[in-house]
Coordinates of all heavy atoms in Angstrom, one line a residue:
P28 N 37.3 -27.9 -21.1 CA 38.0 -29.0 -20.4 C 37.6 -29.0 -18.9 O 37.3 -28.0 -18.3 CB 39.5 -28.6 -20.5 CG 39.5 -27.6 -21.6 CD 38.2 -26.9 -21.7
V29 N 37.6 -30.2 -18.4 CA 37.3 -30.4 -17.0 C 38.6 -30.4 -16.2 O 39.5 -31.1 -16.6 CB 36.5 -31.8 -16.8 CG1 36.3 -32.0 -15.3 CG2 35.3 -31.8 -17.5
V30 N 38.6 -29.6 -15.1 CA 39.8 -29.5 -14.3 C 39.5 -30.1 -12.9 O 38.5 -29.6 -12.3 CB 40.3 -28.1 -14.2 CG1 41.5 -28.0 -13.3 CG2 40.6 -27.5 -15.5
E31 N 40.2 -31.1 -12.5 CA 40.1 -31.6 -11.1 C 41.4 -31.4 -10.4 O 42.5 -31.6 -10.9 CB 39.7 -33.1 -11.2 CG 38.4 -33.4 -11.9 CD 38.1 -34.8 -12.0 OE1 38.8 -35.6 -11.3 OE2 37.2 -35.2 -12.8
E32 N 41.3 -31.1 -9.1 CA 42.5 -30.8 -8.3 C 42.3 -31.5 -7.0 O 41.3 -31.4 -6.3 CB 42.6 -29.3 -8.1 CG 43.8 -28.8 -7.5 CD 43.9 -27.3 -7.5 OE1 43.3 -26.6 -8.2 OE2 44.7 -26.8 -6.6
N33 N 43.4 -32.2 -6.6 CA 43.5 -32.7 -5.2 C 44.8 -32.2 -4.7 O 45.5 -31.4 -5.2 CB 43.3 -34.2 -5.2 CG 44.4 -35.0 -5.8 OD1 45.6 -34.5 -5.8 ND2 44.2 -36.2 -6.2
N34 N 45.2 -32.8 -3.6 CA 46.4 -32.2 -2.9 C 47.7 -32.6 -3.6 O 48.8 -32.1 -3.3 CB 46.5 -32.7 -1.4 CG 45.4 -32.1 -0.6 OD1 44.9 -31.0 -1.0 ND2 44.9 -32.7 0.4
E35 N 47.7 -33.6 -4.5 CA 48.9 -34.1 -5.1 C 49.0 -34.0 -6.6 O 50.1 -34.0 -7.1 CB 49.1 -35.6 -4.6 CG 49.3 -35.7 -3.1 CD 49.2 -37.1 -2.6 OE1 49.1 -38.0 -3.5 OE2 49.3 -37.3 -1.4
I36 N 47.9 -34.0 -7.3 CA 48.0 -33.9 -8.8 C 46.9 -32.9 -9.3 O 45.9 -32.7 -8.6 CB 47.8 -35.3 -9.5 CG1 46.4 -35.9 -9.2 CG2 48.9 -36.2 -9.1 CD1 46.1 -37.1 -10.0
L37 N 47.2 -32.4 -10.5 CA 46.2 -31.7 -11.2 C 45.8 -32.6 -12.4 O 46.6 -33.2 -13.0 CB 46.9 -30.4 -11.8 CG 47.3 -29.3 -10.8 CD1 48.1 -28.3 -11.6 CD2 46.1 -28.7 -10.2
S38 N 44.5 -32.6 -12.6 CA 43.9 -33.4 -13.7 C 43.1 -32.5 -14.7 O 42.3 -31.7 -14.2 CB 43.0 -34.5 -13.2 OG 43.7 -35.4 -12.3
Y39 N 43.4 -32.7 -15.9 CA 42.7 -31.9 -17.0 C 42.1 -32.9 -18.0 O 42.8 -33.8 -18.5 CB 43.7 -31.0 -17.7 CG 44.4 -30.0 -16.8 CD1 45.7 -30.3 -16.4 CD2 43.8 -28.9 -16.4 CE1 46.4 -29.5 -15.6 CE2 44.6 -28.0 -15.6 CZ 45.8 -28.3 -15.2 OH 46.5 -27.4 -14.4
E40 N 40.8 -32.8 -18.2 CA 40.2 -33.7 -19.2 C 39.7 -33.0 -20.4 O 39.2 -31.9 -20.3 CB 39.0 -34.4 -18.5 CG 39.4 -35.3 -17.3 CD 38.2 -35.9 -16.6 OE1 37.0 -35.7 -17.0 OE2 38.4 -36.6 -15.6
G41 N 39.8 -33.7 -21.5 CA 39.3 -33.1 -22.8 C 40.1 -31.9 -23.3 O 39.5 -31.0 -24.0
I42 N 41.4 -32.0 -23.2 CA 42.3 -30.9 -23.7 C 42.4 -31.2 -25.2 O 42.8 -32.3 -25.6 CB 43.7 -30.9 -23.1 CG1 43.5 -30.7 -21.6 CG2 44.6 -29.9 -23.7 CD1 42.9 -29.4 -21.1
E43 N 42.1 -30.2 -26.0 CA 42.1 -30.4 -27.5 C 43.2 -29.5 -28.1 O 43.2 -28.3 -27.9 CB 40.7 -30.0 -28.1 CG 39.7 -31.0 -27.6 CD 38.3 -30.7 -28.3 OE1 38.0 -29.6 -28.5 OE2 37.6 -31.7 -28.5
L44 N 44.1 -30.2 -28.8 CA 45.2 -29.5 -29.5 C 45.0 -29.7 -31.0 O 44.7 -30.8 -31.4 CB 46.5 -30.0 -29.0 CG 46.8 -29.8 -27.5 CD1 48.1 -30.6 -27.1 CD2 47.0 -28.3 -27.2
K45 N 45.3 -28.7 -31.8 CA 45.2 -28.8 -33.2 C 46.3 -29.7 -33.8 O 47.4 -29.8 -33.2 CB 45.1 -27.4 -33.9 CG 46.5 -26.8 -34.1 CD 46.3 -25.5 -34.9 CE 47.1 -25.5 -36.2 NZ 46.8 -24.6 -37.1
L46 N 46.0 -30.3 -34.9 CA 47.1 -31.0 -35.6 C 48.0 -30.1 -36.3 O 47.5 -29.0 -36.8 CB 46.4 -32.0 -36.6 CG 45.5 -33.1 -36.1 CD1 45.2 -34.1 -37.2 CD2 46.1 -33.8 -34.9
D47 N 49.2 -30.4 -36.4 CA 50.2 -29.6 -37.0 C 49.9 -29.2 -38.5 O 50.2 -28.2 -39.0 CB 51.6 -30.3 -36.9 CG 52.8 -29.4 -37.2 OD1 52.7 -28.2 -36.8 OD2 53.8 -29.8 -37.7
D48 N 49.3 -30.2 -39.2 CA 48.9 -29.9 -40.6 C 47.5 -29.5 -40.8 O 47.0 -29.6 -41.9 CB 49.3 -31.2 -41.4 CG 48.6 -32.4 -41.0 OD1 47.9 -32.4 -39.9 OD2 48.7 -33.5 -41.6
S49 N 46.8 -29.1 -39.8 CA 45.4 -28.6 -39.9 C 45.4 -27.1 -40.1 O 46.2 -26.4 -39.5 CB 44.7 -29.0 -38.6 OG 43.4 -28.4 -38.6
D50 N 44.4 -26.7 -40.9 CA 44.3 -25.2 -41.1 C 43.4 -24.5 -40.1 O 43.3 -23.3 -40.1 CB 43.7 -25.0 -42.5 CG 44.6 -25.3 -43.6 OD1 45.9 -25.3 -43.4 OD2 44.2 -25.7 -44.7
T51 N 42.8 -25.3 -39.2 CA 41.9 -24.7 -38.3 C 42.6 -23.8 -37.2 O 43.7 -24.1 -36.9 CB 41.1 -25.8 -37.5 OG1 40.1 -25.2 -36.7 CG2 41.9 -26.7 -36.7
E52 N 41.9 -22.8 -36.8 CA 42.4 -22.0 -35.7 C 41.5 -22.1 -34.5 O 41.5 -21.3 -33.6 CB 42.4 -20.5 -36.2 CG 43.4 -20.2 -37.3 CD 44.9 -20.6 -36.9 OE1 45.3 -20.4 -35.7 OE2 45.6 -21.2 -37.8
D53 N 40.7 -23.2 -34.5 CA 39.7 -23.4 -33.4 C 40.4 -24.0 -32.2 O 39.8 -24.0 -31.1 CB 38.6 -24.4 -33.8 CG 37.7 -23.7 -34.9 OD1 37.7 -22.5 -35.0 OD2 37.0 -24.5 -35.6
Y54 N 41.6 -24.5 -32.3 CA 42.3 -25.2 -31.2 C 43.7 -24.7 -31.0 O 44.3 -24.2 -32.0 CB 42.3 -26.7 -31.4 CG 41.0 -27.3 -31.8 CD1 40.7 -27.6 -33.1 CD2 40.0 -27.5 -30.9 CE1 39.4 -28.0 -33.5 CE2 38.8 -28.0 -31.2 CZ 38.5 -28.2 -32.5 OH 37.3 -28.7 -32.9
G55 N 44.2 -24.7 -29.8 CA 45.6 -24.3 -29.6 C 46.6 -25.4 -30.0 O 46.2 -26.5 -30.3
I56 N 47.8 -25.0 -30.1 CA 48.9 -26.0 -30.5 C 49.7 -26.4 -29.3 O 50.4 -27.4 -29.3 CB 49.8 -25.3 -31.6 CG1 50.6 -26.4 -32.3 CG2 50.6 -24.2 -31.1 CD1 49.9 -27.2 -33.3
A57 N 49.6 -25.6 -28.2 CA 50.4 -25.8 -27.0 C 49.5 -25.9 -25.7 O 48.5 -25.3 -25.7 CB 51.5 -24.8 -26.9
F58 N 50.1 -26.5 -24.7 CA 49.3 -26.6 -23.4 C 50.2 -26.3 -22.2 O 51.4 -26.6 -22.2 CB 48.8 -28.1 -23.3 CG 48.1 -28.3 -22.0 CD1 46.8 -27.8 -21.8 CD2 48.6 -29.1 -21.0 CE1 46.1 -28.0 -20.6 CE2 48.0 -29.3 -19.8 CZ 46.7 -28.8 -19.6
S59 N 49.6 -25.6 -21.3 CA 50.3 -25.3 -20.0 C 49.7 -26.1 -18.9 O 48.5 -26.0 -18.6 CB 50.2 -23.8 -19.7 OG 50.6 -23.5 -18.4
T60 N 50.5 -26.9 -18.1 CA 50.0 -27.6 -17.0 C 49.8 -26.6 -15.8 O 49.0 -26.9 -14.9 CB 51.0 -28.7 -16.5 OG1 52.2 -28.2 -16.2 CG2 51.1 -29.7 -17.6
A61 N 50.5 -25.5 -15.8 CA 50.3 -24.5 -14.7 C 49.0 -23.7 -14.9 O 48.3 -23.5 -13.8 CB 51.5 -23.5 -14.8

Side-chain angles (χ1 to χ4, degrees):
V29 175
V30 180
E31 296 177 16
E32 186 174 341
N33 69 27
N34 292 334
E35 298 171 0
I36 62 172
L37 294 170
S38 296
Y39 305 97
E40 296 178 1
I42 302 301
E43 296 182 325
L44 299 170
K45 82 177 240 163
L46 299 190
D47 197 35
D48 57 356
S49 170
D50 291 334
T51 185
E52 294 301 321
D53 293 339
Y54 311 101
I56 195 78
F58 178 70
S59 166
T60 60

